[in-house]
């Protein structure tokens, strides 16, 4: 089973990397870019689950992975995409 986790800075957290990208785009002639937010995309292949109960357990397991390792919950939000 392929799982994708999208991690982004919370909206209230400043994104200096995004600002650097926005400025660079302007210097390259790409005008009109008002804001840029940079995040990370994590793809994992994990063992598939066959029943609904195991599927719910997998969602909890993925959330625990994201909370403890993949994202910093103080400054980042994440979205698990199956």
């Amino acid at each position: 089973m392929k799982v994708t986790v999208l991690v982004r800075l919370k909206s209230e957290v400043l994104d200096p990397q995004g600002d650097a990208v926005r400025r660079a785009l302007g210097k390259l002639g790409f005008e009109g870019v008002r804001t840029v937010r940079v995040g990370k995309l994590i793809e994992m292949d994990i063992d598939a689950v066959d029943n609904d109960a195991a599927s719910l357990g997998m969602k909890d397991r993925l959330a625990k992975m994201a909370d403890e390792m993949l994202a910093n919950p103080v400054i980042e939000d994440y979205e698990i995409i199956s």
Side-chain angles (χ1 to χ4, degrees):
M1 173 178 172
K2 187 172 185 173
V3 176
T4 303
V5 180
L6 178 60
V7 180
R8 294 178 266 206
L9 287 171
K10 292 184 177 188
S11 59
E12 61 270 14
V13 176
L14 295 176
D15 186 352
Q17 188 176 10
D19 287 339
V21 170
R22 181 188 51 78
R23 285 191 308 274
L25 287 170
K27 288 180 182 179
L28 291 172
F30 297 103
E31 300 297 326
V33 178
R34 298 175 79 201
T35 61
V36 175
R37 303 287 290 177
V38 175
K40 57 188 171 187
L41 182 83
I42 302 164
E43 294 180 337
M44 298 183 286
D45 284 320
I46 57 176
D47 292 336
V49 293
D50 293 332
N51 60 43
D52 289 341
S55 179
L56 289 175
M58 181 59 71
K59 289 180 183 178
D60 290 341
R61 186 172 168 218
L62 289 167
K64 186 174 172 100
M65 286 180 198
D67 283 333
E68 293 182 10
M69 172 66 187
L70 304 176
N72 178 346
V74 174
I75 62 169
E76 294 174 319
D77 288 324
Y78 63 86
E79 179 181 353
I80 299 170
I81 306 165
S82 297

